[in-house]
Every structure is written in structure tokens, then in C-alpha cells.
Amino acid sequence: MVLIFNGIRLYKHIRFKKAQSSNSSSTRRAQVPSQYEYMLMRLCRYICAATNTGAIIFLDIESLAVVREWQAYSSKVSDMDARTDYLVTCGWSARPYGGASFESFAKVFDLKKLEQRQPIPFHGGAAFVAVNPKLGSTIVLMSTHGQVQVVDVAHPNTSALHSPFLGNHMSHLVLAPSGQAWALADNGGVIQIWALDRSHLRYTEHAAPPEFADEDFAPPSIGIDSDLPLNTVGMPYYREKLLSAWSEDPIYEVGFPPPRVDPEVLKNLLPSAVGYRASNPKKTLRNQLDRLSIVGSNGMALTTPKFLSEKTQGADGEMDKGRRISDAEVFTNTNPTGSIKANVPPMYRLMEIKYSRYGVDDFDFGYYNKTQYSGLETHITNSYLNPLLQLFKYIPLFRNLALHHTASSCLAESCLLCELGFLFDMLEKAEGQKCHATNFLKAFSSLGEASKLQLTEETSPQSTLEVRIQAANRFLLKQIGMDYQRIAPGDGKLDQTVVSHAFTNMRCTSCYHETLRATHKSLLDISYHTLSLNPRVRSSTPAFSRVLKDSFERESNQRMWCDRCRRYQLVQSWETVSNVPPVLMINTGLNKQTDGRQLWSIPGWLPERIGICIDKGRVLCLEGEALRASQRSRPSRPLNVYDLVGLVADVNSGENQKSHMVSLINGMMAISSRQPQEEPQWHIFNDFLVRKIDKDEALRFATRWKTPTILAYQHQGGSNIIDDGWRDSLDTTCLFMNWSLNPYNVPQQNWPCVLDPATEQPGSGTHVPIDTEFVRLQQEEIEILATGDRQVIRPTREGLARVSVLRASGPHEGLPFIDDYISISEPVVDYVTKYSGVSAGDLDPTVSVRPLVPLKVAYKKLWLLLNLGCIFVGHGLIKDFRNIDMFVPKAQIVDTVTLFYNPARSKRNLSLRFLAWYLLKANIQSETHDSVEDALTALRLWRKYEEFRDAGVVEKMVDEIYTAGRKLNYKVPEKVGVVGGGGGLSVPVPGRGRDTPDVDSGVSGPSTPVGKKTGGGGSEDFESPLK
């Protein structure tokens, strides 16, 4: 409700406006009739209205009904003021001889009890009154001659009287909102300001620096002649968008240019009734036109590379690599078309994966990356976190902690710190090859708190990407700290690395009661509220170190509960910093800061190196020459020097395109490399696009399309500390134990035979046959184009359902020591039982008789075998490990697909079933697949390959297999005994539930032809277990 009372003019009505509801903008206006003529009004517990008869009417705020009427004076009310529980008035009283004079008492009315209290004597005649805004019982009285009296209503006998000589008659008395000063105005136009203490005077609690008018300088005299350079005439400063900055919407492609008219047609033109005519030269087919390019396009858009299956292959078997990013001028000197902004380089644009009928594996990721740093794919939900994950990876101290934690005994299913360690290790082993963060993003999405905070793409469709990734940064740092404490509750290494400690001081502005509270932060939000930018004065622009200092010592004013006042009051708070961690993560907070964006647009405003010093709770930040001078002078206080590791930037390619994130990282600098580097080498990570850029490009921000969101600084003491000691402290307990989510449902024969820690320790060079089975979590999404072509929008997404790892030697050769079924929380759209051997009940912990484990447990077992140096033997392992989200170096893979592959004969890969039928006379996969059987078959095929290699007849046997395959269309015949194949014998393996070929069954395939043996009888790559 809004009350309207203009000046001191007489009103016979009160006009008010009341909103019907908080959700409605409609208003209701009404006039309340009154028998009084009001002169003054004050609003407190009631509406206190003074009439022209000396009475004061108390009205209810909601209904405007008269609550109480008090006849304060016999004439009129001169002034009144109300605060909290008291109303204090001054007025005239009628005299017997006629006329009126000021009362020598200031009258007090208790608004809480609605009764008059003892008046306050003031012999000079009280003409003006004001209540202290901070001390509700303290009032200031003033006469027309300038006599001032300060008195407490609760103790009216104690007062302070001031009698200055002011000369003129006084006309106004006003107290400052802080209560520390008051202003006296006289009828001569003079205002005097009185203060209790001039040294600490504040007029308001939220004081802002005064804005003064710009000083008017006379423009310099410029002589206009032919020798005058045009840049002598300066440009004005502006904040608004210029009219000349046209939108990109009017710029669009109009299609191909019209076809050229054949010169022979032009030569034979003959006039006709309408225009000209000529005979058809018949150089093309009917309705056929030459494909034309847009004139002047010059490769304006980023050309999508060919699929790997479409590329030609030379006679030497090498694939035609096609154009690469380092050879393409399209990434540097081009002007985009369409709705893309004209100054956005192509390497910053949104990257999209194209799919062929072979899926994502057919996409040429190498076209976008020729560096030693691996990018991350984008076809996964919540992949907006890719740039932040890349930034975490290249912070050495953070990387070391994550990998050491991953190597511990942690088996928590949703541990993000373990998932980060898995991801970091995969990126390092890949060395520039494609990777994806599926497992991390799946664990991130499974956290209920992430959904509550609207950090997932499903729960935050309306929030901007900039706000979401900054909130995700805060959440990840908090969650990672909790994950670390779960395994090492007494270890403070992570807190010492990323957490800063401070004390928050809070002071009530009413009673000045102060409280102190300890705070811990793993993230610093930059605050721009203290900036006072003058666009006309360049020297007023604050440096980054100044803004950083203000962000550490943040001050705020907000309404909070005061224990002493027992009510909500305005509370001032400021922070006193105790320490700054070695890793400094910063959120720029530019989503609502216009002034902050102007700072970032200044070239060179973000420094590569800063210095931070803590002195008695105060923060000193240095940069540039001031930092270098402080380092040379050897300051008495310890100075911590930080280097910029990298940043995450928000890129808005066009007005009609969604924004996306990229990370800019100094990967080759002395910060994150194993050896110090003399020169920094910045790289841009735009999902799977990775390219080297110069420092100026990385640290230059155009607020129109490129703004920083997250910064990462690291202490110089952590540079080049790449700790690989976690490899020597791997906790391999899970490899020697059986563990399941449903132990009471699993019969004894379904448990795998675990390794014996005394005799079966896996190590470097240990061969382990492996096979995996997958189920479909999402079907393929396709789109039929107007041409009738089939385009894949989103490929099939699969989830690991079963993994089996066998022994390759020893008394238990061929027996699995890992045979885990994976508990999947997502809905399974297709179990593909025919190819996976997994049925619906196998993955349900309530009914399954198979040993079910979380994905994290199965993944960690394979990760441990990988880092122990084991060599995996299997069929089609490249695709299997990709679906598992694990990168295994080629030196640790023996893949029977590549062993029996001859690209000169055919590009076709031979199936495991066909190889087993032809070489081993084993009939496998006749009804369904079994991972133990497939892994055992791969082991036998590798041994057969070893025999062929020792005999020197590998090429001959491979040619023979392809010849037989072409005759049978690479399918196993239904009849037994065709082309050396056969039914084969099957020996049941205990505990597997089905017949699988046994290694020692005595069944062999085609006899190995006698050939010339190699001198060493072996190979550097493989060691035959038959020797």
C-alpha cells in the first residue's frame, strides 16, 4: 500500500493504492472521507496525522480506520517525528491575550501503549524535533533561535543543551540516516552541519563516493592541413551499442549462383517472338547442372572432413589423411557467413560430430587435432563440463591428488575424485587421440544434489551456460573435498591445496554488536561492486590485482538476525583472510556485471603472474612491474607468486546460435609440463578441437563474443611437480576378492575363481584374455532428409553389462578371475541377448543370480590391470575399450582382429566365430554370446598366430582364410566339415553354465605348415606361452 501526502497543504481525503496480490500488477484506488484537515503525517506503527486544530489522529495502516485521537495542542502542530515506539511533537498553544506561541514542552506519545508520556521541558520553545534513526529513544529539539537540546525519552531529566549563536531564524532540522550528524537550515538560505565526531563521520550506512561533474578542459588547438594524421582527432568514449554496429541477421547465404550459360548457346542465339532461342548442345544429361561454389566464399565455413570410410587408400596401405588443421587456412584468415559473428575465428566455433552408418568411430577426429593433447567428445549429456575438466587436468597439484586418490582403496560408486583420476590417466595415455568423459559425466548426473542445484542439462534448460558452469565449478570443488575426506579423513592435503581460510566479521549497524565466524572457501568469486569507473578518465581503471584484493576482502550489507537486538537488522560484514591456497580457482561472475565486462575488454588486463601477500589479515596483491620490484627487494613478508594455468571462456558465435565453452590452457608452460619450458605455449581446447595459439590471442577478450568465466592460478612452487608415485602404491585388493551387490543370490558355481595373491600376482607383461558384453541404453536417432538420405542425429549409446578376464597361463589357465555383471541404474532399451548373452533378470540385484557390481568397481579392476602393465588379449578390443571409456596403449593390446587382417586382400575384419571355426574347428556363438567363451577363444587364436609366426607362414595362412571366407561370404556353414572347419569339440568349464572350448582339449585347427623358423624363435612384441 502506498500513501500519498503532498507537502503541508491541507487535505480532507487520504488517497491510497493497494495491490490485490503479489502476483498481480492491478491496483485499486479509493478515497477515504475524513472530517479533519491534515497538515503533517508520519508513518510508524500507525499513520500519525496532525490536524490544523492541534490534534493528532492515529490511523490503522491496513484499514485506515481511526484508532485513537489525541488533542496535543490548543493551536497547531509545528513538527513531529516517530521512530519505533515513540511519537514526539512540537506545537503552538493559544495565549490569553490572543495569538499563539511555541510550547515550552515537547510532548511524547507511547505508540505501543497508545497513551501520553511525561513531556520533555524545553524553555527555549520547541519548534523542531527529530528522532535519532539509530537510537530510537534519543531526540533532538531545536528552537527558532537555534538553541539545541539532546535528550533521552526514557530519562528526560538528563539532557545536553547547546546554545550557539546562529543569527537568523531557523527553518528546518534534519538528522543524517547514520545519526552521527544533523543539518540546520535558516531562513537566510544557509545550511550548517553539526557532527559528534568529525574524524569518523559517516552520513549513511551505505555511503557511495560522490560523483562530481567532469572538469571542463579546453580542447587543444589543432591545425587542419594535409600533414595532420587522422588519429590525432580522438574518438569519444561510449558504453551503448553504436547504430553503426548492425546485427548479423541481415547477412545470410542466398544459395548457389545461377549456372553459367554455355558459350556455344550464346554463339547460336536467334531472335524469337519472346527473347532468343538456341539449340541444346546436349553436353549434360537431362536436369543436370554443374556444382558451383559461392563467389568469394573462399572457404568461409569450417569444412567438415570426410568420414574415414570415405577416404582413399594408397598402394602402400596408408590412409589418405586429407587436409589437417595445421594446413588449413580456413582456421585463421576467413570471414564467416550466416549468423556467425564476423570476428569469431573458426577454431572458437561450436564443434559438432557427424555420424555415418558406422557410428562415431567413422568421424575423423584427427582432422581437428594434431597436438599431443587429447580433446573430449561432445555427443554426451552434460558435456558442457569438458572445458572445466581439461582445466582441472592441467593443474599439476590437482592432478597429483586425484591420481593418488584413485590408486587408493576407494570403491564408492559416485566418487567424482576417482572419476577425475581415471579421466586424467586416460588423457595422458591417449597423447592426442580422441577421448570422452562418459563415466565421469554419468557419475556427475547421478548425484541428487547436482540435479537440485540445476547443474545438469535436464534440470536447467533456462539457465545460461555461464551461470551453470560457474555453479558446477563450485559444486565440484566441494564434492571432491568430501570424496577425499571419505578415504583419508585425517589427511588435509586437499584442503591445503585448494581451500582458503578466513574470518568473517559481522557488525550490527544498530547496536554495533560484532561477531566473528570462521569460513572456508575453495573458490573465489570476483566482486565488481566497489568499482567506480569513469569512462572519460583512463587512469581510474582499476588493475586486476586491485579487483582481486577487493574480492578477498569483500564487504557487504544485508539484513540479518541480531542476537542483541533480537530482531532483523542491517548487518555489515567483511572478511579477514588467513591464508591463500596453492591452487587459486576464481569465478569471474560476469553474467550480470556490465562494468566488469569493460575491464576484461582492456588488452593485457589479465596478468599471467600475480603476487599475493597476507599481512595481519589484509591482502596485498601485486602484478607487473610492482611484482618484479617486490621480488628484487626481498620483502620482509612472504610473497606468494602465482602463475596462470588456464581459463574457461564463454564463446557466443552468433545471435542465433547457442553459446558454448572453450578452455585456454598453457599446457607446455613450466606449470604443467614435466620439464621447465622457456616459452609459454598456449592451446585452445574446444571439445575435440585442440590447436596451439599465441599468448595474446589466449588472453584477449572481446566482450561481444568471448568472455572469461573461470580462472586457475597455481603457486610457482607446484610447477613441474608431476608425481607418478601413485603407480607404485596401487591398492589391488579388489583383484583378490569376490564382492557383489547381491551376494546371497549368487550360487557358488557362479562366482569366479579369484587370483591367489601368493602365486598369481599380475604384473608387467602378464597376458590376460578379456571380453565384454554391452546392452543398449539409447536407440539410434535418425533423420530422413529431403533427398531420401538417412542421416544419424544421435548414435546408439551402449552400457557395459558384463566383463570377463581370464588367466592365460598356470594351473588354472583359462579360468576367469573376473566375471562381473554390471548393475545399471539407467533404463535399458534393448538387452540384445542374442549378441550379449545378457537377459533382463541378469542386471536386477533383486532377482539376478549373477555377481552384480557397480560400474566403478568393474572399471577399477580393469584400470588396475592396465597400470600394472598387463597385456590384454581379445577380439575387437579397440571398440570395447572405447565403450568402457578407457584408453589402452597399443603395446598392451593383442587384438586378434588385427592379427588376422590383410588390408591388401580386403577391408573386411574377420569375425571371431569365423576364425574359431576355420582355425580351431570350434563352433562358438551358435545361439548366443558368452564373454568367457569369447575371451578363451581369443587366447587360443593368439596362440595359433604364434605358431604361424614361428613357422613364418602368417601371410600365407591369412590369405588362405580370406580365400575361404570369400567362398562362404565369411559365414560359418551350417554343415560340419567344410573348408577345414568343423563342429569342434567342446569341453565344459566348471561354473560357467554353458559349454566353452577348453585350451587343453586337444582340439586344434588346421595344421601349421612347415616353414622356415625365425632365428630367435620369438618376437619383441609377443611371447608365446607354448615356449
Side-chain angles (χ1 to χ4, degrees):
M1 180 174 64
V2 178
L3 296 177
I4 302 174
F5 183 80
N6 295 330
I8 60 172
R9 296 189 179 277
L10 301 182
Y11 258 72
K12 290 187 177 182
H13 300 84
I14 298 177
R15 180 179 299 173
F16 72 97
K17 178 174 66 175
K18 184 176 181 181
Q20 297 296 332
S21 64
S22 59
N23 297 327
S24 175
S25 59
S26 61
T27 60
R28 178 171 61 89
R29 294 177 180 270
Q31 289 185 340
V32 181
S34 175
Q35 59 181 344
Y36 309 103
E37 294 182 350
Y38 298 116
M39 297 182 62
L40 293 174
M41 280 190 181
R42 296 292 183 267
L43 181 62
C44 192
R45 288 177 176 266
Y46 303 96
I47 301 173
C48 306
T51 68
N52 58 351
T53 62
I56 298 177
I57 311 299
F58 300 95
L59 305 175
D60 184 80
I61 295 179
E62 295 293 334
S63 63
L64 299 182
V66 176
V67 178
R68 178 72 185 274
E69 181 178 349
W70 175 40
Q71 187 66 40
Y73 301 95
S74 57
S75 182
K76 295 181 181 181
V77 178
S78 171
D79 193 9
M80 65 179 183
D81 197 5
R83 285 286 191 279
T84 59
D85 298 335
Y86 300 106
L87 171 69
V88 186
T89 63
C90 301
W92 289 277
S93 295
R95 297 301 181 190
Y97 54 83
S101 62
F102 287 107
E103 280 261 6
S104 59
F105 290 93
K107 298 186 177 182
V108 182
F109 193 86
D110 192 330
L111 297 176
K112 191 173 183 179
K113 298 180 180 180
L114 289 178
E115 62 182 18
Q116 184 177 358
R117 296 196 55 167
Q118 177 183 355
I120 300 173
F122 185 56
H123 301 289
F128 307 99
V129 63
V131 181
N132 193 306
K134 297 301 179 183
L135 304 174
S137 63
T138 301
I139 63 173
V140 179
L141 300 173
M142 186 178 70
S143 67
T144 56
H145 301 289
Q147 189 177 16
V148 179
Q149 180 177 347
V150 181
V151 62
D152 191 340
V153 176
H155 305 85
N157 296 326
T158 59
S159 62
L161 184 64
H162 304 274
S163 300
F165 178 75
L166 301 177
N168 297 329
H169 283 270
M170 309 310 296
S171 60
H172 288 88
L173 168 65
V174 178
L175 264 66
S178 64
Q180 299 180 11
W182 57 78
L184 312 177
D186 59 23
N187 56 4
V190 178
I191 299 177
Q192 299 187 24
I193 298 178
W194 287 31
L196 299 177
D197 186 0
R198 295 182 58 181
S199 60
H200 298 87
L201 176 61
R202 295 188 65 175
Y203 295 102
T204 63
E205 292 297 331
H206 308 281
E211 296 185 4
F212 299 99
D214 297 333
E215 187 175 355
D216 190 10
F217 294 100
S221 177
I222 301 177
I224 305 298
D225 52 30
S226 58
D227 297 331
L228 177 70
L230 294 179
N231 59 4
T232 305
V233 181
M235 292 292 293
Y237 293 93
Y238 59 89
R239 294 189 180 184
E240 297 79 12
K241 188 176 181 179
L242 297 181
L243 295 177
S244 58
W246 285 6
S247 171
E248 293 81 10
D249 289 340
I251 307 173
Y252 55 90
E253 295 184 7
V254 296
F256 292 112
R260 300 182 183 89
V261 181
D262 191 279
E264 188 173 345
V265 174
L266 295 175
K267 181 180 179 181
N268 299 325
L269 284 178
L270 297 175
S272 62
V274 179
Y276 294 84
R277 60 183 176 85
S279 59
N280 187 0
K282 297 182 179 181
K283 294 183 178 180
T284 58
L285 300 177
R286 188 181 184 87
N287 297 327
Q288 180 182 2
L289 295 175
D290 294 333
R291 179 176 294 275
L292 303 175
S293 60
I294 302 176
V295 178
S297 63
N298 192 23
M300 292 180 180
L302 184 59
T303 306
T304 303
K306 291 182 179 180
F307 291 113
L308 297 177
S309 58
E310 297 175 346
K311 297 194 175 183
T312 60
Q313 200 169 37
D316 55 353
E318 290 294 328
M319 185 73 73
D320 179 15
K321 301 297 183 182
R323 189 161 55 115
R324 287 292 182 268
I325 186 171
S326 58
D327 306 322
E329 296 180 358
V330 67
F331 283 86
T332 53
N333 301 320
T334 59
N335 292 323
T337 59
S339 61
I340 299 177
K341 296 185 177 179
N343 53 352
V344 180
M347 61 184 173
Y348 283 96
R349 300 178 197 164
L350 183 63
M351 296 289 108
E352 295 182 357
I353 300 177
K354 301 297 182 180
Y355 307 100
S356 71
R357 59 174 179 165
Y358 301 107
V360 69
D361 293 332
D362 200 24
F363 187 76
D364 186 11
F365 290 97
Y367 174 80
Y368 300 92
N369 183 11
K370 288 193 68 177
T371 68
Q372 59 179 325
Y373 305 108
S374 295
L376 294 172
E377 299 176 15
T378 60
H379 63 286
I380 311 163
T381 305
N382 296 320
S383 59
Y384 77 93
L385 290 173
N386 284 349
L388 183 58
L389 299 179
Q390 292 280 16
L391 183 60
F392 284 164
K393 193 266 176 205
Y394 288 98
I395 303 175
L397 297 179
F398 197 86
R399 173 257 184 203
N400 297 339
L401 285 172
L403 286 171
H404 275 279
H405 176 83
T406 307
S408 67
S409 59
C410 179
L411 293 178
E413 184 176 0
S414 58
C415 178
L416 295 184
L417 190 55
C418 280
E419 296 296 342
L420 278 177
F422 293 145
L423 178 62
F424 295 166
D425 184 48
M426 178 174 60
L427 290 172
E428 290 182 0
K429 287 183 169 64
E431 295 183 347
Q433 301 187 46
K434 59 183 178 181
C435 295
H436 56 95
T438 302
N439 290 346
F440 176 88
L441 298 178
K442 188 180 298 183
F444 174 79
S445 303
S446 66
L447 296 175
E449 189 175 354
S451 301
K452 292 179 182 179
L453 296 175
Q454 297 185 350
L455 301 180
T456 60
E457 294 178 353
E458 300 87 353
T459 59
S460 59
Q462 303 299 330
S463 64
T464 62
L465 198 58
E466 183 178 5
V467 174
R468 193 192 313 163
I469 198 170
Q470 290 184 355
N473 184 26
R474 181 179 293 103
F475 169 75
L476 288 178
L477 293 174
K478 175 185 175 182
Q479 187 66 33
I480 287 169
M482 296 170 58
D483 294 338
Y484 189 84
Q485 291 297 323
R486 186 188 299 114
I487 298 298
D491 191 350
K493 288 183 180 180
L494 185 62
D495 287 347
Q496 296 171 6
T497 302
V498 298
V499 177
S500 64
H501 302 272
F503 292 97
T504 301
N505 301 267
M506 294 175 289
R507 181 172 60 191
C508 176
T509 58
S510 178
C511 65
Y512 298 99
H513 175 62
E514 291 191 9
T515 57
L516 193 66
R517 184 178 63 187
T519 57
H520 313 280
K521 292 183 179 180
S522 56
L523 184 68
L524 177 65
D525 293 292
I526 292 185
S527 175
Y528 306 91
H529 72 279
T530 58
L531 299 183
S532 178
L533 298 179
N534 188 347
R536 297 181 179 273
V537 183
R538 289 185 178 270
S539 59
S540 65
T541 302
F544 175 82
S545 55
R546 165 65 189 282
V547 177
L548 192 64
K549 170 183 170 61
D550 294 340
S551 302
F552 275 115
E553 302 173 345
R554 186 188 306 269
E555 297 183 6
S556 63
N557 296 275
Q558 55 184 339
R559 294 190 64 83
M560 298 177 63
W561 180 262
C562 178
D563 294 332
R564 177 176 293 181
C565 298
R566 305 300 299 171
R567 67 179 63 184
Y568 284 95
Q569 297 282 15
L570 188 64
V571 176
Q572 290 179 321
S573 63
W574 65 94
E575 292 186 357
T576 303
V577 180
S578 301
N579 75 299
V580 181
V583 176
L584 186 59
M585 301 296 298
I586 302 173
N587 277 355
T588 59
L590 291 177
N591 51 314
K592 296 182 180 179
Q593 298 291 339
T594 305
D595 292 339
R597 291 181 180 271
Q598 294 178 4
L599 291 176
W600 289 99
S601 63
I602 300 175
W605 190 74
L606 176 64
E608 281 191 283
R609 181 168 295 172
I610 58 174
I612 300 178
C613 179
I614 307 296
D615 183 21
K616 297 180 181 179
R618 310 302 294 177
V619 179
L620 176 64
C621 297
L622 302 173
E623 64 174 280
E625 186 59 36
L627 174 61
R628 290 187 287 270
S630 179
Q631 288 178 307
R632 290 193 298 266
S633 62
R634 296 183 179 180
S636 58
R637 299 182 299 270
L639 179 65
N640 299 313
V641 181
Y642 291 79
D643 289 322
L644 180 64
V645 179
L647 57 97
V648 177
D650 182 18
V651 176
N652 185 8
S653 300
E655 296 181 0
N656 297 331
Q657 295 189 2
K658 62 180 181 180
S659 64
H660 64 283
M661 294 289 170
V662 301
S663 53
L664 303 162
I665 300 174
N666 191 4
M668 287 295 293
M669 194 176 174
I671 304 172
S672 54
S673 61
R674 296 182 182 271
Q675 298 296 330
Q677 304 292 326
E678 295 181 358
E679 295 294 333
Q681 296 187 16
W682 287 81
H683 287 74
I684 177 175
F685 290 79
N686 186 1
D687 292 321
F688 52 83
L689 184 149
V690 184
R691 183 173 185 250
K692 181 182 176 182
I693 58 176
D694 56 40
K695 181 186 70 173
D696 295 337
E697 170 63 29
L699 303 182
R700 182 171 58 246
F701 305 101
T703 55
R704 188 183 177 199
W705 63 272
K706 176 187 174 185
T707 54
T709 58
I710 299 173
L711 308 177
Y713 281 91
Q714 181 181 269
H715 193 278
Q716 276 190 338
S719 301
N720 308 119
I721 301 179
I722 307 301
D723 184 10
D724 290 334
W726 57 271
R727 300 181 188 274
D728 302 326
S729 58
L730 293 172
D731 189 300
T732 59
T733 307
C734 59
L735 294 177
F736 304 97
M737 58 180 289
N738 278 328
W739 182 85
S740 174
L741 295 172
N742 55 337
Y744 301 106
N745 296 349
V746 183
Q748 183 62 34
Q749 63 270 18
N750 285 355
W751 289 101
C753 180
V754 297
L755 295 173
D756 184 0
T759 60
E760 296 180 307
Q761 283 284 352
S764 179
T766 302
H767 290 80
V768 286
I770 182 175
D771 191 69
T772 56
E773 305 294 350
F774 299 88
V775 294
R776 289 182 182 173
L777 304 179
Q778 180 177 317
Q779 295 286 10
E780 181 182 66
E781 297 180 14
I782 63 172
E783 180 182 8
I784 305 300
L785 304 179
T787 58
D789 296 334
R790 179 175 176 270
Q791 181 179 355
V792 179
I793 303 300
R794 188 183 295 272
T796 301
R797 186 164 61 90
E798 297 180 338
L800 181 64
R802 183 185 180 187
V803 56
S804 301
V805 185
L806 282 60
R807 298 167 173 84
S809 60
H812 301 293
E813 180 178 348
L815 286 181
F817 61 91
I818 296 176
D819 190 18
D820 293 335
Y821 286 74
I822 313 304
S823 174
I824 300 178
S825 58
E826 300 179 69
V828 178
V829 299
D830 190 357
Y831 285 91
V832 287
T833 306
K834 181 179 179 181
Y835 302 100
S836 66
V838 179
S839 58
D842 291 339
L843 305 183
D844 188 354
T846 60
V847 299
S848 177
V849 295
R850 308 292 183 180
L852 279 171
V853 299
L855 175 63
K856 161 74 175 297
V857 175
Y859 187 95
K860 186 163 187 177
K861 292 180 181 180
L862 300 181
W863 184 78
L864 289 172
L865 294 175
L866 170 65
N867 286 282
L868 287 173
C870 296
I871 300 176
F872 297 94
V873 181
H875 188 83
L877 293 183
I878 301 298
K879 184 177 181 180
D880 287 351
F881 282 124
R882 170 183 167 76
N883 290 336
I884 297 174
D885 196 12
M886 179 179 292
F887 184 88
V888 181
K890 292 183 178 180
Q892 291 182 248
I893 291 181
V894 177
D895 197 339
T896 54
V897 170
T898 58
L899 294 181
F900 297 98
Y901 176 66
N902 186 357
R905 295 294 301 271
S906 174
K907 293 183 180 180
R908 186 187 185 103
N909 293 326
L910 299 175
S911 67
L912 181 66
R913 187 184 183 201
F914 184 80
L915 288 172
W917 168 79
Y918 187 81
L919 295 176
L920 306 177
K921 294 184 179 180
N923 187 18
I924 66 171
Q925 302 177 353
S926 56
E927 297 179 359
T928 183
H929 288 225
D930 183 89
S931 56
V932 174
E933 178 186 60
D934 294 348
L936 190 55
T937 303
L939 173 62
R940 297 181 60 195
L941 288 174
W942 170 55
R943 290 182 171 177
K944 183 64 68 173
Y945 175 84
E946 291 280 295
E947 295 179 10
F948 295 158
R949 190 198 58 189
D950 292 343
V953 293
V954 173
E955 294 183 4
K956 179 180 178 181
M957 293 304 301
V958 172
D959 291 343
E960 184 179 317
I961 298 172
Y962 272 98
T963 301
R966 281 194 299 270
K967 293 179 181 179
L968 299 172
N969 197 20
Y970 298 97
K971 294 182 179 179
V972 175
E974 296 181 1
K975 293 184 179 182
V976 180
V978 182
V979 195
L985 300 177
S986 296
V987 178
V989 178
R992 298 279 42 89
R994 58 167 293 167
D995 292 341
T996 54
D998 184 52
V999 178
D1000 299 324
S1001 61
V1003 181
S1004 62
S1007 58
T1008 304
V1010 178
K1012 183 179 180 180
K1013 293 188 177 183
T1014 57
S1019 170
E1020 296 180 357
D1021 298 330
F1022 308 111
E1023 180 182 355
S1024 175
L1026 300 179
K1027 297 178 184 178

